[in-house]
């Protein structure tokens, strides 16, 4: 009788929750609940040769320190969850920002009907996506081989798992701290497991550990501990629920218990699940979209979810209620905020500008974290996970720092330290992490470019990004009132992009020390002088001075022809630098957009450049087409690596109708607003509400006309200053291009050489 009642109560709960499809919440009719549109599985149908996002379903709180995911790959596999696999091996605390960078501080938990078989292959159970529920705040799967329903919900640093067991004399749960890297101890009397994980792929000091604590609400009858594995054994009756509460800390075992106490304490599964749902609705609800197109809403909010996960919090709250952190830069416990897991080469472009616009208080904390990093070591990170990682190029921390400062999101006490750190980066390179600071700065600061014959790879990409970074430094220096001589230095260096311009091809090209261009030159060659792209992709990396580039190319007409060319040539490529077709190339080919490679970052701003040459309607056409074709809320729904919010933030901005072509400038460049109505209410600081209306935009990609705060607006940009005060943008959309709007000289967006 008891068994039947328990079974019925599960069924009843499932029916009640039909609105949001999770087993813990009751949804109210009519309530605006953007989290219900989110599909965390978007991008998970990926492998090393082809990326549809390279994401995993992250069960988390926004920017949470710990994410959790079902693990369906083997323990060492960096593609921890991919949609094509048939089994689940565990439920894992995960910090991986990307399979290329790898995971750290991880461990997993798995329920079993027969606890005698607990190794990762033995315990794996088949499952189906049909009975899987994945929400940002809730995950469940039916583990058929164990007849166990597994459910998870999470806080920022802790989680509750609820396992509904069958009748079994041999039930159990295994805790896997991963071979050779972790340790685990069982205190059966107190129903508690403690342990640590040292899993990492560099970027940590010697003393790095993630300490975890796990408590179960079931009497443990027997225990097996084998190295990094601990098995808790008990008897269950059909429908019996066993709950497990877990938390971790990068600081200490004691702090892990503190995180568990403050974030979960005595709260039950459903309470934490409801809290998670509310936390996501608050963050996602900062952008309220109105549309009848449910698929488009799913795409939008799935992208907004991806834009609000990284960089993650890497700080904890101590007993006095103060933020403290383990520093992955000096190995010490330090006061204040810390954030990590972002590659600025990707995320300076749109993700951080999105935080500045919509989540300013979050970016203010991140800037405090960057200032802390500048005090804990000499260099700002370029790729952190959790400490410095040697990955990608550029010195784009300058863009993050300058953009936040100019938009009022930097604490006064941090400004001098941050500025000193970005200056340091212009004349130094980290002794062991070559992507921190500026590799080739000696050449760049004297010749005006990093030459291609001095054994520094991706030299042209570095030069172009350093020049933009120097322009960012100039903007910050101006506002800080720095000396004229310093301003002059950075103003001069901001023009260094021109040193790589080859008039014979109208493209950026590698250049030797003696000033000659590299020969032979194949503009379709990926890598070499460029980073994961070719000359056609990188020529546009003059974010701050598009007019300067137009002038170099011989005028607007030639510039527009060059843009057109990228879109209409076949997707031909030369991969000889890599020796194989890298996944980014394959993703460009299949998009059927010529040589436009939206699946990677270098050219993601390119379509917006039609606004600088008198042909804004072409920007509108191609941008809308990219949104429609290359973004979907399905497991194969990204056109390449999602990259910690960057590719998603492109979609969010594009849906709003504008994009930060040049972060640290005051302007956003217009595109094609995609929804009937969007209301942005910036979170956490006093900023005005932004109302964007574009009736019928779903079927009409072109801007016929536009009003800003009720007045006609002919420019191809809107300013941050106007939006921050609160603004109303009203677009009249059309199915036909208006070839007269936005064509005047004064309609063009900002360029440095027009100052
Ligand atoms: Ca990428």
């Amino acid at each position: 009788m008891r068994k039947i009642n328990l079974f019925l109560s599960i069924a009843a709960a499932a029916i009640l929750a039909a609105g949001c499809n999770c087993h813990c919440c009751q949804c109210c009719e009519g309530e605006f609940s953007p989290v219900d549109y989110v599909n965390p599985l978007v991008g998970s149908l990926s492998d090393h040769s082809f990326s549809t996002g390279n994401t995993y379903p992250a069960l988390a709180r926004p920017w949470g320190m710990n994410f959790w995911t079902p693990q369906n790959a083997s323990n060492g596999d960096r593609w921890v969850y991919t949609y094509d696999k048939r089994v689940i091996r565990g439920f894992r605390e995960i910090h991986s920002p990307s399979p290329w960078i790898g995971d750290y501080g991880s461990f997993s938990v798995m329920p079993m009907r027969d606890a005698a078989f607990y190794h990762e292959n033995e315990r794996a159970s088949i499952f189906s996506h049909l009975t899987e529920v994945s929400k940002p705040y809730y995950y469940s799967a039916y583990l058929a081989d164990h007849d166990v329903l597994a459910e998870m919900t999470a806080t920022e640093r802790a989680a509750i798992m609820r396992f509904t067991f069958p009748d079994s004399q041999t039930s159990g749960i295994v805790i896997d701290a991963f071979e050779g890297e972790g340790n685990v101890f069982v205190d059966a009397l107190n129903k508690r497991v403690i342990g640590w994980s040292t899993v990492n792929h560099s970027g940590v000091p010697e003393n790095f550990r993630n300490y975890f604590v796990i408590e179960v609400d079931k009497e443990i009858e027997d225990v097996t501990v084998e190295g990094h594995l601990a098995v808790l054994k008990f008897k269950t009756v059909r429908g019996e629920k066993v709950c497990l509460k877990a938390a971790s800390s990068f600081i200490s075992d004691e702090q892990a218990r503190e995180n568990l106490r403050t974030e979960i304490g005595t709260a039950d599964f459903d309470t934490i699940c409801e809290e998670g749902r509310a936390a996501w609705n608050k963050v996602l609800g900062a952008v309220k979209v109105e549309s009848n197109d449910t698929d488009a809403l799913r795409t939008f909010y799935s992208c907004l979810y991806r834009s609000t996960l990284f960089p993650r919090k890497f700080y904890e709250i101590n007993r006095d209620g103060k933020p403290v952190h383990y520093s992955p830069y000096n190995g010490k416990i330090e006061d204040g905020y810390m954030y990590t897991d972002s590659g600025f080469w990707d995320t300076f472009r749109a993700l951080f500008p999105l935080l500045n616009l919509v989540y300013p208080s979050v970016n203010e904390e991140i800037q405090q974290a960057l200032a802390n990093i500048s005090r804990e070591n000499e260099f700002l990170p370029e790729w952190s996970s959790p400490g410095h990682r040697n990955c990608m190029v550029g010195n784009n921390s300058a863009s993050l720092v300058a953009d936040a400062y100019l938009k009022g999101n930097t604490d006064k006490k941090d400004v001098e330290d941050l500025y000193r750190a970005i200056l340091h980066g212009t004349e130094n390179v980290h002794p062991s992490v070559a992507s921190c600071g500026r590799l080739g700065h000696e050449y760049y600061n004297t010749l005006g470019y990093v030459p291609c014959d001095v054994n520094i790879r991706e030299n042209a990409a570095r030069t172009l990004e350093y020049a933009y970074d120097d322009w960012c430094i100039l903007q910050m220096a101006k506002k800080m009132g720095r000396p004229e001589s310093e301003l002059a230095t950075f103003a001069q260096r901001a023009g260094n992009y021109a040193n790589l311009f080859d008039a014979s091809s109208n493209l950026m090209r590698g250049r030797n020390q003696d000033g000659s261009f590299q020969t032979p030159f194949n503009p379709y060659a990926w890598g070499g002088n460029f980073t994961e792209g070719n000359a056609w992709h990188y020529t546009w990396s003059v974010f701050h001075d598009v007019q300067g580039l137009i002038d170099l190319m011989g005028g607007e007409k030639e510039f527009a022809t060059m843009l057109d060319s990228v879109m209409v040539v076949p997707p031909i490529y030369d991969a000889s630098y890599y020796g194989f077709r890298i996944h980014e190339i394959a993703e460009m080919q299949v998009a059927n957009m010529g040589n436009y490679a939206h699946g990677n970052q270098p050219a993601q701003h390119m379509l917006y450049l039609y606004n600088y040459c008198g042909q804004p309607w072409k920007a509108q056409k191609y941008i809308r087409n990219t949104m429609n074709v290359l973004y979907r809320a399905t497991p194969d729904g990204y056109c390449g690596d999602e990259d910690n919010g960057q590719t998603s933030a492109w979609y969010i901005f594009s849906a709003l109708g504008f994009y930060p072509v040049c972060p640290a400038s005051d302007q956003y460049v217009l595109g094609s607003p995609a929804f009937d109505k969007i209301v942005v209410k910036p979170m956490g600081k006093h900023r005005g509400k932004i109302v964007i209306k574009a009736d019928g935009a779903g079927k009409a990609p072109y801007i016929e006309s536009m009003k800003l705060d009720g007045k006609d607006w002919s420019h191809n940009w809107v300013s941050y200053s106007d939006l921050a005060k609160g603004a109303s943008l009203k677009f009249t959309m059309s199915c036909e291009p208006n070839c007269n709007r936005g064509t005047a000289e004064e309609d063009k967006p900002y360029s440095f050489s027009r100052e």
Side-chain angles (χ1 to χ4, degrees), residues 219-266:
E219 295 302 328
I220 301 166
E221 292 169 26
D222 194 14
V223 172
T224 299
V225 176
E226 183 198 313
H228 56 97
L229 294 159
V231 186
L232 315 180
K233 298 174 183 174
F234 40 78
K235 298 181 186 69
T236 52
V237 295
R238 180 166 180 79
E240 183 174 348
K241 291 178 167 60
V242 175
C243 277
L244 177 155
K245 296 178 176 179
S248 70
S249 166
F250 295 104
I251 293 172
S252 67
D253 177 58
E254 200 178 23
Q255 181 67 41
R257 288 200 297 273
E258 178 71 4
N259 293 343
L260 186 62
R261 186 183 70 78
T262 54
E263 295 193 4
I264 293 186
T266 57

Side-chain angles (χ1 to χ4, degrees), residues 100 345-346 392 532 583-584 587 598-602 604 640-643 646-647:
W100 311 111
W345 180 83
D346 300 288
M392 309 315 285
E532 295 177 356
H583 73 91
E584 288 89 349
E587 291 141 20
H598 190 78
N600 204 18
Q601 281 65 36
Q604 284 184 345
D641 285 353
E642 196 285 319
D643 282 330
Q646 166 57 29
T647 298

Side-chain angles (χ1 to χ4, degrees), residues 34-353:
V35 74
D36 296 342
Y37 294 109
V38 176
N39 179 7
L41 297 166
V42 180
S44 64
L45 188 57
S46 300
D47 62 46
H48 69 280
S49 68
F50 194 89
S51 170
T52 70
N54 266 331
T55 60
Y56 53 86
L59 170 79
R61 291 284 171 91
W63 304 287
M65 185 174 90
N66 298 329
F67 299 172
W68 304 79
T69 189
Q71 178 183 335
N72 63 15
S74 54
N75 277 349
D77 191 335
R78 294 186 184 197
W79 277 258
V80 173
Y81 176 101
T82 56
Y83 198 77
D84 57 331
K85 295 199 180 70
R86 298 276 170 229
V87 298
I88 287 179
R89 295 158 192 265
F91 299 93
R92 170 160 164 164
E93 187 185 304
I94 184 168
H95 306 96
S96 172
S98 139
W100 311 111
I101 292 289
D103 199 5
Y104 62 88
S106 43
F107 61 93
S108 75
V109 171
M110 180 74 175
M112 300 160 295
R113 172 160 59 186
D114 187 345
F117 303 99
Y118 52 81
H119 286 112
E120 60 161 321
N121 291 330
E122 299 169 334
R123 72 190 187 227
S125 167
I126 55 165
F127 80 110
S128 164
H129 295 301
L130 298 176
T131 51
E132 176 187 46
V133 180
S134 178
K135 298 282 167 187
Y137 57 90
Y138 176 86
Y139 178 88
S140 75
Y142 175 61
L143 305 174
D145 288 327
H146 299 294
D147 189 17
V148 169
L149 176 70
E151 300 171 280
M152 297 193 277
T153 188
T155 64
E156 289 187 343
R157 299 170 189 83
I160 305 191
M161 299 186 194
R162 182 165 66 188
F163 302 130
T164 306
F165 277 91
D167 251 330
S168 172
Q169 300 292 302
T170 57
S171 291
I173 294 171
V174 60
I175 290 115
D176 190 340
F178 298 135
E179 194 161 7
E181 307 192 77
N183 225 325
V184 57
F185 310 93
V186 179
D187 174 0
L189 200 62
N190 291 307
K191 298 182 283 187
R192 179 182 293 157
V193 180
I194 60 166
W196 69 75
S197 165
T198 58
V199 173
N200 73 82
H201 293 92
S202 84
V204 292
E206 283 290 307
N207 64 353
F208 169 79
R209 276 184 184 183
N210 187 26
Y211 302 87
F212 61 80
V213 55
I214 295 169
E215 293 176 1
V216 291
D217 66 351
K218 172 81 178 167
E219 295 302 328
I220 301 166
E221 292 169 26
D222 194 14
V223 172
T224 299
V225 176
E226 183 198 313
H228 56 97
L229 294 159
V231 186
L232 315 180
K233 298 174 183 174
F234 40 78
K235 298 181 186 69
T236 52
V237 295
R238 180 166 180 79
E240 183 174 348
K241 291 178 167 60
V242 175
C243 277
L244 177 155
K245 296 178 176 179
S248 70
S249 166
F250 295 104
I251 293 172
S252 67
D253 177 58
E254 200 178 23
Q255 181 67 41
R257 288 200 297 273
E258 178 71 4
N259 293 343
L260 186 62
R261 186 183 70 78
T262 54
E263 295 193 4
I264 293 186
T266 57
D268 64 7
F269 186 95
D270 291 356
T271 304
I272 297 300
C273 192
E274 290 277 8
E275 273 180 26
R277 180 178 161 78
W280 275 107
N281 271 335
K282 185 175 172 220
V283 165
L284 300 174
V287 188
K288 188 174 179 185
V289 180
E290 288 180 24
S291 171
N292 294 324
D293 185 343
T294 306
D295 284 344
L297 288 171
R298 287 188 176 128
T299 302
F300 183 93
Y301 283 109
S302 296
C303 281
L304 193 56
Y305 153 77
R306 286 280 160 206
S307 302
T308 50
L309 285 168
F310 297 102
R312 77 171 72 249
K313 293 175 180 177
F314 198 75
Y315 66 86
E316 303 171 46
I317 306 298
N318 70 11
R319 275 189 170 268
D320 303 326
K322 300 238 163 59
V324 289
H325 63 272
Y326 166 81
S327 170
Y329 300 96
N330 67 15
K332 295 177 186 165
I333 309 304
E334 301 272 9
D335 289 341
Y337 296 114
M338 181 56 56
Y339 278 77
T340 191
D341 290 326
S342 186
F344 297 164
W345 180 83
D346 300 288
T347 53
F348 85 84
R349 301 161 198 267
L351 187 272
F352 279 93

